[in-house]
């Protein structure tokens, strides 16, 4: 091995450790007894006790917060996909004046910090009667996820050859029928990946959710607000709950996400 | 089966640019294998897509048989199409792909199964019916595309460069298969290609297109032997037709300074220059001096296997000819070229049009190519 490669691998190991070691200790803490959590130094290996986890999920407020989070995340995923699909399809299929400007404009919506928008948002949501509801949070999360998902979905559609749609039309489909029968089946994995991205973004989003909720906090908001008073096992278990879905989903859709970045994957 | 009548088809993609298809009128006869031939960008694919209904013409009408299908979507036209990129559905098996058209028409299962079996048999796909396209070779995928088109028994079958994605060997065998298939089906076929060999070998008639217009339309031998314009002569044939400028001199006509016979009906023209179009294989070379032959000097000899391609200069003009492989043409040697007068195609340098029967120089453009069928 050359020095370059040693350096490269060494750097990779360092980076991985930098990310993974704290996460590992979260896992250790979440699956240890309370006694083990409070002992010093913390064991490097969990004793696979479910005590901390049981304590976390039965704590007052956690089940409701978890339920809110899941509902908000699913709503966000569904609504984002429903809105992003037509927009992404248009970007992928049609040449129209200002298409590039539109792409940029879609992304530039993310240039406004949520902090700046928080007060007006809260006011509007109060006026509309959706303040402190799962709908309100889901709406906000949809707005946050939409720009990225539109671009992801457009890459997915661009990867399905136009030929397929035209063939479907020639062989008996209407335009929409061709979309449904020729495009959707071939775009489905990519669309699922894009929706998953929105779900995860929503599940882990804390700032907007904390501004827009009071009695109906999502899980990250609930964990965050109680963080300073909560006992250690609660924090470890809570952290694991917030981390786990992202880890699992990324593991499952990793190849799809990479495919989306790399352009057309079909044919 | 039905004939196809296109009347005044014009299609523009951008408002101010030249139209992709410019006022084309042509009739494809019932059961005919009709080839649209031309360089890329000549509008041949646009014209095909207009027949399919995948493009709507800005002007003009499309009739299939007695039906005016001008405004109809593709699915209402009773057509089928084979795409250049195959366009086989990756998420369906070969059998489902072939049966797709009939399934969309809600045909009974039994009928679909029979049609799939028949179409798959025609293109020899019987043993891969349960596979997915990803497990097939390019040639097999193209066969699936053809079978899918045949299975719906369309009155018109459209093919958009179906062989261009195949490698050379496969292309040759598939070409023969297509010709046999066309005979078997006896349906009206419109076939787009930029490959002149494909066009000549497959077509009952060939329409040569350029810049959105049909320049000439006729049987393969007509367009090859009697090109209507200089462009057609140059586009068809390998090598392209030779063009030798023939100029009026004091005592008759000369080519590269040598006397050259011009038929009387052309000799009376006002102009002082004509072009003699001569196919490479029609030139008779000799290594000894022949009276009335053009003296030439050999520049390059390229063996093509079955023939020699010999590049020579006649005066300042370069000419290509084909000879048998045993012809003794060495580099820089002298040759005498005899050109049989009846094999010369005469062109007017100003209009670049041929100067005889099939030509109606000056009267119209695409009109000259319109068949009466």
């Amino acid at each position: 091995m050359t020095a370059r490669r040693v350096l490269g691998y060494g750097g990779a190991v360092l980076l991985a450790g930098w990310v993974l070691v704290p996460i590992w200790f979260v896992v250790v803490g979440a699956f240890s007894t309370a006694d083990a959590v409070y002992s010093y130094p913390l064991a490097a290996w969990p004793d696979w006790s479910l005590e901390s986890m049981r304590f976390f999920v039965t704590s007052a407020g956690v089940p409701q917060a978890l339920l809110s989070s899941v509902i908000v995340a699913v709503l966000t995923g569904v609504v984002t996909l429903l809105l992003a699909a037509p927009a992404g399809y248009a970007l992928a299929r049609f040449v129209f004046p200002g298409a590039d400007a539109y792409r940029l404009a879609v992304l530039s919506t993310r240039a406004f910090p949520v902090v700046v928008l928080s007060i007006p948002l809260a006011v509007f949501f109060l006026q509309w009667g959706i303040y402190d509801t799962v709908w309100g949070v889901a709406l906000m999360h949809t707005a946050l996820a939409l720009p990225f998902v539109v671009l992801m979905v457009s890459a997915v559609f661009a990867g399905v050859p136009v030929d397929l749609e035209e063939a479907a039309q020639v062989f008996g489909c209407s335009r929409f029928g061709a979309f449904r029968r020729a495009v959707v089946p071939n775009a489905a994995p990519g669309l699922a990946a894009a929706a998953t991205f929105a779900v995860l973004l929503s599940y882990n989003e804390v700032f907007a959710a904390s501004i827009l909720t009071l009695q109906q906090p999502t899980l990250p908001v609930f964990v965050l607000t109680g963080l300073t008073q909560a006992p250690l096992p609660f924090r470890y278990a809570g952290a694991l709950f917030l981390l786990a879905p992202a880890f699992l989903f990324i593991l499952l859709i990793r190849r799809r996400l990479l495919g989306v970045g790399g352009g057309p994957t079909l044919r | 089966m039905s004939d196809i009548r296109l009347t005044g088809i014009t299609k523009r993609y951008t408002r101010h640019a030249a139209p992709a298809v410019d006022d084309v009128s042509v009739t494809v006869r019932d059961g005919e294998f009709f080839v649209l031939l031309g360089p890329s960008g000549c509008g041949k694919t646009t014209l095909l897509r207009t027949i399919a209904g995948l493009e709507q013409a800005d002007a003009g009408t499309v009739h299939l048989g007695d039906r005016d299908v001008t405004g109809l979507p593709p699915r209402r036209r009773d057509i089928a199409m084979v795409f250049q990129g195959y366009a086989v559905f990756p998420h369906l098996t070969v059998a489902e792909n072939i049966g797709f058209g009939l399934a969309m028409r809600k045909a009974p299962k039994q009928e679909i199964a029979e049609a799939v079996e028949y179409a798959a048999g025609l293109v020899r796909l019987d043993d891969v019916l349960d596979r997915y396209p990803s497990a097939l070779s390019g040639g097999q995928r193209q066969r699936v595309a053809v079978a899918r088109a045949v299975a719906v028994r369309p009155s018109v079958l459209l093919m958009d460069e179906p062989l261009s994605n195949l490698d050379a060997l496969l292309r040759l065998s598939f070409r023969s298969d297509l010709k046999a298939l066309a005979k078997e089906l006896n349906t009206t076929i419109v076939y787009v290609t930029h490959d002149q060999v494909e066009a000549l070998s497959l077509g009952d008639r060939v329409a040569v297109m350029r810049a959105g217009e049909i320049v000439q339309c006729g049987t393969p031998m007509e367009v090859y032997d009697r090109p209507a314009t200089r462009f057609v002569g140059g586009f068809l044939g390998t090598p392209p037709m030779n063009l030798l400028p023939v100029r009026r001199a004091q005592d008759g006509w000369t080519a590269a300074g040598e006397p050259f016979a011009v038929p009387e009906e052309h000799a009376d023209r006002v102009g002082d220059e004509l072009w003699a179009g001569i196919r490479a294989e029609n030139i008779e070379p000799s290594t000894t001096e022949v009276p009335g032959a053009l003296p030439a000097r050999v520049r390059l000899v390229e063996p093509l296997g079955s023939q020699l391609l010999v590049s020579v200069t006649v005066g300042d003009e370069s000419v290509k000819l084909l000879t048998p492989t045993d012809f003794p043409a060495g580099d820089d040697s002298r040759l005498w070229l005899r050109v049989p007068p009846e094999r010369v195609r005469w062109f007017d340098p100003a209009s670049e049009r041929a100067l005889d029967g099939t030509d109606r120089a000056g009267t119209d453009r695409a009109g000259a190519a319109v068949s009466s069928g």
Side-chain angles (χ1 to χ4, degrees), chain A residues 123-194:
Chain A
V123 170
F124 268 115
F125 278 31
L126 279 167
Q127 285 174 355
W128 294 341
I130 53 172
Y131 185 81
D132 201 20
T133 64
V134 286
W135 291 100
V137 181
L139 192 63
M140 184 61 211
H141 285 173
T142 300
L144 290 175
L146 208 48
F148 298 117
V149 176
V150 165
L151 296 186
M152 286 170 80
V153 165
S154 113
V156 169
F157 284 136
V160 180
V162 192
D163 275 10
L164 292 183
E165 254 172 287
E166 293 183 340
Q169 285 183 49
V170 163
F171 290 105
C173 294
S174 62
R175 280 204 80 128
F176 183 74
F179 175 76
R180 196 166 65 82
R181 288 177 188 279
V183 179
V184 170
N186 292 301
L191 296 180

Side-chain angles (χ1 to χ4, degrees), chain A residues 54-102:
Chain A
R54 208 175 295 127
F55 172 62
F56 176 75
V57 294
T58 53
S59 299
V62 168
Q64 296 91 313
L66 183 60
L67 187 67
S68 291
S69 260
V70 170
I71 294 176
V72 168
V74 170
L75 275 178
T76 301
V78 171
V79 176
T80 303
L81 193 61
L82 287 179
L83 292 176
Y89 184 80
L91 275 177
R93 280 288 186 268
F94 302 113
V95 183
F96 54 94
D100 285 336
Y102 177 73

Side-chain angles (χ1 to χ4, degrees), chain B residues 39-360:
Chain B
S40 58
C42 71
K44 57 192 190 300
T45 294
T46 303
L47 195 58
L48 188 82
R49 291 170 58 85
T50 307
I51 301 173
L54 292 170
E55 304 282 356
Q56 292 295 333
D58 299 326
T61 58
V62 182
H63 282 82
L64 302 182
D66 304 328
R67 298 177 300 139
D68 181 352
V69 300
T70 310
L72 294 184
R75 65 180 190 281
R76 300 251 157 86
R77 295 194 174 197
D78 190 22
I79 50 142
M81 185 158 166
V82 178
F83 292 80
Q84 182 175 8
Y86 319 142
V88 169
F89 303 118
H91 60 291
L92 300 179
T93 64
V94 169
E96 287 166 339
N97 262 289
I98 299 176
F100 186 85
L102 288 173
M104 288 305 106
R105 293 178 193 184
K106 307 249 178 337
K109 278 213 164 63
Q110 181 62 29
E111 189 190 327
I112 297 178
E114 281 165 16
V116 168
E117 194 181 334
Y118 166 76
L122 276 182
V123 294
R124 303 192 306 276
L125 280 173
D126 314 75
D127 42 352
V128 295
L129 283 177
D130 295 329
R131 292 202 201 156
Y132 282 90
S134 56
L136 303 181
S137 68
Q140 284 174 315
R141 283 182 214 185
Q142 192 55 293
R143 274 198 235 283
V144 175
V146 172
R148 178 176 63 182
V150 168
V152 297
R153 298 196 166 273
S155 55
V156 170
L157 179 52
L158 308 172
M159 300 197 189
D160 185 7
E161 310 223 17
L163 306 184
S164 61
N165 282 7
L166 305 179
D167 61 59
L169 205 65
L170 210 54
R171 202 177 303 162
L172 203 65
S173 72
F174 206 100
R175 199 175 76 201
S176 321
D177 290 352
L178 271 185
K179 185 144 190 168
L181 186 76
K183 261 200 193 109
E184 160 90 20
L185 293 176
N186 196 30
T187 188
T188 312
I189 297 177
V190 182
Y191 185 104
V192 162
T193 183
H194 64 269
D195 182 336
Q196 39 123 353
V197 182
E198 252 172 53
L200 296 177
S201 65
L202 286 171
D204 293 325
R205 278 194 307 154
V206 177
V208 184
M209 289 190 70
R210 182 193 195 188
E213 296 176 351
I214 293 180
V215 189
Q216 188 178 9
C217 183
T219 66
M221 288 329 284
E222 268 168 31
V223 289
Y224 183 80
D225 278 338
R226 305 174 60 74
T229 71
R230 172 202 180 169
F231 168 77
V232 177
F235 191 72
L236 275 85
T238 334
M241 183 177 253
N242 292 301
L243 276 182
L244 204 56
V246 180
R247 298 190 179 86
R248 195 193 294 275
Q250 281 155 348
D251 47 350
W253 295 77
T254 62
E258 301 294 322
F260 199 90
V262 172
E264 264 176 43
E265 69 261 36
H266 303 325
D268 298 339
R269 285 170 39 86
V270 203
D272 283 340
E273 186 173 322
L274 292 171
W275 281 340
I278 313 153
R279 289 268 176 219
E281 63 272 24
N282 291 336
I283 298 174
E284 297 166 7
S286 161
T287 49
T288 53
E289 190 162 357
V290 180
L294 297 169
R297 191 166 285 279
V298 176
R299 284 278 163 254
L300 201 64
V301 180
E302 298 167 70
L304 301 180
S306 58
Q307 280 169 310
L308 295 181
L309 175 59
V310 183
S311 304
V312 303
T313 50
V314 178
D316 294 333
E317 303 298 329
S318 65
V319 170
K320 286 182 190 292
L321 51 139
L322 289 165
T323 71
T325 47
D326 55 359
F327 186 79
D331 283 358
D332 219 32
S333 63
R334 281 174 69 81
L335 289 183
W336 282 265
L337 311 181
R338 204 185 83 79
V339 180
E342 71 277 10
R343 310 310 300 256
V344 176
R345 186 84 178 144
W346 293 97
F347 295 96
D348 173 5
S351 67
E352 303 199 348
R353 311 200 135 261
L355 288 175
D356 75 339
T358 59
D359 170 57
R360 293 168 213 168

Side-chain angles (χ1 to χ4, degrees), chain B residues 1-3 28-33 155 182 186-189 204:
Chain B
M1 286 204 299
S2 58
D3 59 357
V28 179
R29 296 174 196 133
D30 191 7
E32 182 176 44
F33 198 125
S155 55
N186 196 30
T187 188
T188 312
I189 297 177
D204 293 325

